[in-house]
Amino acid sequence: MGMTHSTSSKQGFELYHRPTGYKFERDMLLQVLKKESDLRLCEETQEAYTHKGTELDCNAYMAHIRDVTEMLQVRALLECGVQEDDLKDALVALRNHRLDYKDDEEILQASIYGRYDLCFDRKHVAQWSPVPDCQVVGLNGEEIGLLSLLTPGRPALIIAASLS
């Protein structure tokens, strides 16, 4: 799941897009994306993501992550003024935004997945390829250059995870 699930505006490794009659005004979409980012990073949401982590098998846990993400997206839509009758279509429109606004850097930067999903900007890195230098965020929240963490001549295992 993670960045390959529709809640991240992707389906597999392609950008998610489904037909909907709902269309956001650009300013409203920015407001919803910023609210979604704030909600995703708040303590309540982070606790909800981890709540059942040790009690569920992998598939059930990933479904739990999807459900928490969908709940926060619905909350963001409601708090930004989307009417309950429009929620289903607005949720589809929200998830379509990365394709609908693929050339709008401000929209992509407002989207948490647009900021951190680099798969379209990077060439595929084959197994045993030299690691490209990039900024990574440690568990302490600080950014640091990846190469500065590696010891020359020593193998390294890099494990990455989705923000959700």
Side-chain angles (χ1 to χ4, degrees):
M1 200 182 82
M3 287 200 185
T4 64
H5 191 269
S6 63
T7 59
S8 68
S9 301
K10 289 177 73 176
Q11 191 72 47
F13 292 99
E14 301 299 322
L15 291 175
Y16 176 92
H17 203 275
R18 297 290 179 269
T20 181
Y22 195 91
K23 178 77 172 152
F24 283 105
E25 294 293 327
R26 186 178 181 283
D27 289 342
M28 173 69 151
L29 178 58
L30 278 169
Q31 182 182 353
V32 171
L33 291 171
K34 288 175 184 174
K35 175 59 80 174
E36 179 189 12
S37 289
D38 291 345
L39 290 172
R40 184 180 300 271
L41 299 175
C42 78
E43 188 175 330
E44 174 188 348
T45 300
Q46 292 303 306
E47 189 174 309
Y49 278 133
T50 60
H51 177 65
K52 296 182 179 181
T54 58
E55 303 168 19
L56 303 174
D57 66 36
C58 184
N59 289 334
Y61 182 66
M62 294 311 290
H64 169 72
I65 295 294
R66 180 202 59 225
D67 294 345
V68 170
T69 303
E70 183 161 320
M71 284 188 297
L72 80 88
Q73 288 175 333
V74 166
R75 181 176 166 192
L77 291 166
L78 289 170
E79 288 184 14
C80 290
V82 172
Q83 300 300 308
E84 289 214 28
D85 291 348
D86 294 328
L87 272 179
K88 184 177 178 182
D89 288 333
L91 194 57
V92 171
L94 174 63
R95 293 173 181 174
N96 285 347
H97 82 273
R98 289 181 62 198
L99 187 60
D100 290 345
Y101 291 88
K102 67 180 187 261
D103 298 320
D104 189 324
E105 193 60 31
E106 185 179 15
I107 292 283
L108 296 177
Q109 287 302 306
S111 164
I112 197 159
Y113 286 115
R115 285 193 303 271
Y116 296 113
D117 183 0
L118 303 176
C119 71
F120 297 112
D121 296 334
R122 306 279 189 234
K123 293 180 182 176
H124 176 72
V125 178
Q127 185 177 6
W128 309 114
S129 295
V131 176
D133 199 12
C134 61
Q135 290 296 107
V136 295
V137 180
L139 294 175
N140 62 1
E142 292 183 26
E143 287 191 22
I144 189 167
L146 178 61
L147 292 182
S148 70
L149 299 171
L150 303 177
T151 303
R154 305 242 1 230
L157 173 63
I158 300 171
I159 301 172
S162 170
L163 290 172
S164 57

